[in-house]
Amino acid sequence: MNDWWKRAVIYQVYPRSYLDTSNNGIGDLKGITQKLGYIKNLGVDAIWLSPFFKSPMKDMGYDVSDYIDIDPLFGDMEDFEKLVSKAHEYDLKIIIDQVLSHSSDQHPAFMDSRSSLNSEKSDWYVWADANDDGSPPNNWLSVFGGPAWEWEPLRGQYYFHNFLASQPDFNFHNKQVRDYLLQTVKFWLDKGVDGFRLDTVNYYYHDKKLRDNPQSPIRFKRAPVNPYYMQNQIYAINQDENLNFLTDFRHLLDSYADKTSVGEIGDSHRGIEIMKTYTKESRLHMAYSFKLLGKEFSATFIRNTFNEFFDEEDESWPCWSFSNHDVTRHLTRWNENEESCFAKLSCALLLSLKGTPCLYQGEEIGQVESELEFEELTDPPGIRYWPENKGRDGCRTPFVWNSKEDNGGFSKVRPWLPVKDKQISRSVNIQEGVPSSVLSFYKDFINFRKTNVTLQEGNQYFIDNDEDLLIFTREFQGVITLCIFNLGEVSFMLKTNFNFDKDNVLSLNIHLREDSIEIEKNGLMIMNVEEDHRSISSRIDFRKLV
């Protein structure tokens, strides 16, 4: 078995915001093909493409009306085939999104299902009678706000939607539905894709008994902006039957050579636990949760997260991201001043941790969250919960290629989301070829990771338990790499009472002294050492410089 995905660096492309070649203000497949040379030069191994399928775009493509065709906004099937072919010429893998838990309400199957209790596809979606007082059948809530049930007068029943009312959930208890969706997956495998990112992979099945979700075990001092998080989602999602479907999905992928999969786990209570379960026993290859995509960022938090995932010796494998199309960009989220040195630190950290790293377009140029006005929003949750939750548009604004061109070189016409001056100031043309730039650091570190087998395949052992200083080793076949990251606001002094090659150190914001190392804020050191984690742990000696 070729486990290329364990060693890979994945790069997420959000097609509508990458490059517009058709002058409609929306990025397209030809634009991605045009920029494959840039992506290859980053040094990444695979590209994850967010949805480009036919869709009414109520949720920007995560509401699919035709699973085996391209939305004209992005091009056509010939454009996609050329993209895959060209990417493979560059030795780049193509991973595409699959939105299987729900469809658009414009999907032909739902149009049929809603029409009658006796229609051919009547049971393809989740339908339920109203309570005697006309209220929905249970207390399930939508991630995007309000009840998760919508009344359909044609049938005289409610249908279930975890997201928008225009995104009805498939009934995975129906084998016809499962077979249909696996056929759509096979269609793209036959087109030559190398893998899939499965959207909301723990949302496929619902509790057949439609039992009420209990209260969240988290005690809120103040009600969250979205009451969805006040429930523990043990019945609306996260059903055990899902494991059987993932096994069938994996069997399909394994009938082709060298394919992979990564699942998105959306659960605020058991994200890491579900990641582990879903990547065991020949289910998914990888999974990620929102654990490292939130506001918390400290050495303690990272140690606890990784120790929770790797608490058993098994085949479970994580995919880690700090940013993606669903969350505030991490440079804004974690660093008040949005400093380029923090962008470099976070790059080195993500690419040094055990697991498969996934970068989000723009983070390689130190891109920050865009500040948008209410009237500029397109994202349903942002519009509903403004200003407490501004939604996801701020991380989805167009990629900036050239500061000297209109809209940062993204489009010659007004783009679907605005390109602000703050984003343009970080354009590729300003950074390319500049050794001190964030872009150059990303390229250099990705290359460094490729030449360091311990960072790709080594076991990981944390040392000490300081809140701000993160220290761990990666160890593989007798080679030991020591990684030190200062995630705090003050400097540390570390005594060098261990052996390392001073001429072969990858570092940032450090000062080497005769018998010690000063590690400044946003400082890092990565070096090969002679001792393993046990020996270093017993001798490590550091103090904060207050």
Side-chain angles (χ1 to χ4, degrees), residues 291-389:
K291 194 81 170 185
L292 298 182
L293 293 166
K295 293 181 179 180
E296 282 198 69
F297 182 72
S298 69
T300 300
F301 181 72
I302 291 171
R303 270 192 303 270
N304 291 343
T305 298
F306 276 74
N307 286 335
E308 182 183 356
F309 187 90
F310 292 110
D311 64 345
E312 301 172 7
E313 289 294 329
D314 59 37
E315 73 273 30
S316 296
W317 192 257
C319 178
W320 302 113
S321 299
F322 290 164
S323 286
N324 69 20
H325 66 292
D326 280 329
V327 298
T328 301
R329 287 186 176 273
H330 70 268
L331 190 50
T332 299
R333 201 171 72 236
W334 289 338
N335 186 243
E336 184 177 358
N337 297 318
E338 301 177 330
E339 301 159 296
S340 61
C341 55
F342 182 85
K344 295 174 184 178
L345 171 84
S346 60
C347 164
L349 175 58
L350 178 61
L351 292 169
S352 297
L353 294 166
K354 184 178 180 180
T356 299
C358 183
L359 311 177
Y360 178 47
Q361 68 176 54
E363 75 173 84
E364 77 274 17
I365 54 175
Q367 196 52 276
V368 297
E369 190 81 356
S370 294
E371 283 290 332
L372 301 178
E373 302 299 325
F374 178 78
E375 57 270 16
E376 294 173 322
L377 299 185
T378 67
D379 188 36
I383 293 170
R384 183 181 183 104
Y385 292 117
W386 177 277
E388 292 298 309
N389 179 347

Side-chain angles (χ1 to χ4, degrees), residues 455-469:
L455 295 187
Q456 298 177 61
E457 302 187 54
N459 286 327
Q460 180 170 281
Y461 303 97
F462 289 104
I463 296 170
D464 206 78
N465 58 359
D466 190 85
E467 175 71 13
D468 295 322
L469 196 64

Side-chain angles (χ1 to χ4, degrees), residues 11 64 131 151 173-174 176 189 227 233 328 352 362 382 407 413 447 455 494 507 532-533 536 544:
Y11 181 75
V64 180
N131 290 323
W151 181 254
H173 293 286
N174 185 334
Q176 289 182 332
L189 287 167
Q233 303 293 329
T328 301
S352 297
N407 304 309
V413 301
N447 182 64
L455 295 187
L494 177 70
S507 63
D532 67 9
H533 64 281
I536 293 175
K544 284 186 178 180

Side-chain angles (χ1 to χ4, degrees), residues 414-447:
R414 182 180 179 180
W416 74 285
L417 284 175
V419 182
K420 307 279 185 166
D421 290 343
K422 191 174 186 179
Q423 277 60 50
I424 289 176
S425 69
R426 297 169 187 254
S427 296
V428 170
N429 72 304
I430 297 173
Q431 301 190 43
E432 202 131 46
V434 179
S436 61
S437 70
V438 174
L439 178 58
S440 292
F441 188 89
Y442 266 80
K443 289 180 179 179
D444 291 344
F445 203 93
I446 292 170
N447 182 64

Side-chain angles (χ1 to χ4, degrees), residues 22 83 181 188 251 269 355 392 429 460 524:
S22 59
L83 169 56
L181 291 170
W188 294 106
H251 285 161
H269 302 107
R392 301 166 294 179
N429 72 304
Q460 180 170 281
L524 67 94

Side-chain angles (χ1 to χ4, degrees), residues 126-129 131 136-140 149 160 171 173 205-213 234-237 239 241:
V126 183
W127 297 95
D129 293 332
N131 290 323
N138 60 28
N139 71 345
W140 296 353
W149 297 96
F160 175 50
N171 177 17
H173 293 286
Y205 280 83
H206 67 283
D207 173 45
K208 268 189 170 182
K209 297 179 181 178
L210 303 182
R211 286 171 284 188
D212 280 354
N213 282 324
I234 64 172
Y235 293 124
I237 59 175
Q239 301 305 291
E241 296 97 323

